[in-house]
Amino acid sequence: KLAVIYNVEVNDNELNEETDNLIEEIGGQQAFNNQLQNLYNWTVDDFQQEILKPLLLKNKLSLAIILDDSLNIEARKKAEEILTKLKDEGGSFIELAKEFSEDVTSIQGGDLGYFSKGQMVEEFEKVAFSLEPGEISDIVKTQFGYHIIKVEEKLTGENNEVTQVRARHILVRGMDLDAYLEDLKQKQFILRFVKI
C-alpha cells in the first residue's frame, strides 16, 4: 500500500541490473544458477520475484519515507532549534554535536575528517565544498536526515582547486521505514485469530 501511495516501483531493468551484479560477484551465470537450485530449488526468476524485488522496493520506499517532509516535521524542528543555538546564541558546534547529533561522529563533536568529492552524498558535498572555513551551513536535507555542516579547513591542489574538505556536522535523523511502520502498528487495531 505504501509503495502505491509513494508511487514507488521496481522495473525489470533494475531487477536485471542487480541480478547481473550478483552473478558477477558469485562467479558467473552457471555458479549463480547452481547456488539458487541447490540452496532453494529456485530459478533466477523465482529469486528476483521472491527476494530481489521486495528488497529493492523496500530500499526505494525507505528513501521515500525519509524524504517525505510531512513525516519529518519533528526532526526538522529539532534541526532548526539547533541551528538557532549555533547562529543566534553562539553555541559551541562541538558541544552541540556531542549533545544532539544522531550518528557515531557525535562522540568527536561531529568531526567527519577530510573527504574528497564523490565521498559524500551529493546534497551534503555540494554545500560542504561551497562553505568557507569557519562557516556554518543552513539545514541540509539528505537521505540520512537533516544536517548542519561546519567547514573546518579546505585543502587545494595545483590549480587552487579545492581537493579536500575537513568538516563537522550535526545530524538529526528523520523518520525511517521501520520507525514509520512501527508507528502505524501502534495506531492500528490489529486482530490476530488463533485456531484453538
Side-chain angles (χ1 to χ4, degrees):
K1 284 182 179 180
L2 281 176
V4 171
I5 291 168
Y6 284 96
N7 197 24
V8 172
E9 57 185 39
V10 175
N11 63 42
D12 290 340
N13 288 340
E14 292 167 316
L15 280 175
N16 292 332
E17 186 178 323
E18 281 299 317
T19 302
D20 289 344
N21 291 340
L22 287 169
I23 289 169
E24 189 177 316
E25 279 180 35
I26 289 176
Q29 183 73 52
Q30 191 59 46
F32 185 67
N33 290 347
N34 289 343
Q35 194 168 12
L36 287 177
Q37 185 63 40
N38 294 336
L39 293 175
Y40 309 106
N41 199 24
W42 281 353
T43 65
V44 172
D45 188 56
D46 293 334
F47 171 75
Q48 286 181 328
Q49 296 307 312
E50 296 294 326
I51 301 293
L52 202 52
K53 188 172 185 176
L55 181 64
L56 293 175
L57 192 62
K58 182 181 178 185
N59 290 344
K60 284 183 158 189
L61 194 51
S62 292
L63 185 57
I65 295 292
I66 289 168
L67 296 177
D68 185 344
D69 286 328
S70 68
L71 298 176
N72 292 291
I73 294 168
E74 288 302 314
R76 174 80 189 198
K77 184 178 175 190
K78 182 178 176 183
E80 288 170 351
E81 288 169 359
I82 296 167
L83 188 63
T84 298
K85 288 179 182 187
L86 284 167
K87 290 194 171 183
D88 296 345
E89 299 169 18
S92 162
F93 197 96
I94 292 172
E95 293 307 314
L96 288 170
K98 285 179 180 178
E99 184 177 349
F100 294 108
S101 192
E102 298 174 0
D103 76 339
V104 296
T105 66
S106 64
I107 298 165
Q108 295 94 22
D111 192 359
L112 294 166
Y114 291 92
F115 53 90
S116 306
K117 288 189 176 179
Q119 289 185 284
M120 299 292 183
V121 290
E122 185 179 344
E123 304 91 343
F124 187 98
E125 179 182 288
K126 183 178 177 185
V127 173
F129 275 80
S130 70
L131 293 172
E132 292 303 318
E135 197 175 359
I136 296 172
S137 73
D138 287 326
I139 294 168
V140 179
K141 187 174 183 186
T142 72
Q143 65 196 51
F144 301 107
Y146 298 93
H147 305 261
I148 302 168
I149 305 165
K150 180 180 182 184
V151 168
E152 298 284 346
E153 185 180 4
K154 286 182 166 183
L155 301 179
T156 55
E158 296 173 7
N159 302 333
N160 261 356
E161 182 182 335
V162 177
T163 56
Q164 287 191 320
V165 169
R166 178 168 177 234
R168 296 180 182 275
H169 81 143
I170 298 171
L171 171 65
V172 178
R173 292 195 185 278
M175 176 81 72
D176 64 11
L177 181 60
D178 292 335
Y180 180 66
L181 292 175
E182 189 58 40
D183 189 49
L184 282 180
K185 271 198 249 178
Q186 298 300 322
K187 293 177 182 174
Q188 299 300 316
F189 182 69
I190 299 171
L191 294 175
R192 289 194 176 111
F193 295 96
V194 180
K195 189 174 181 179
I196 301 175

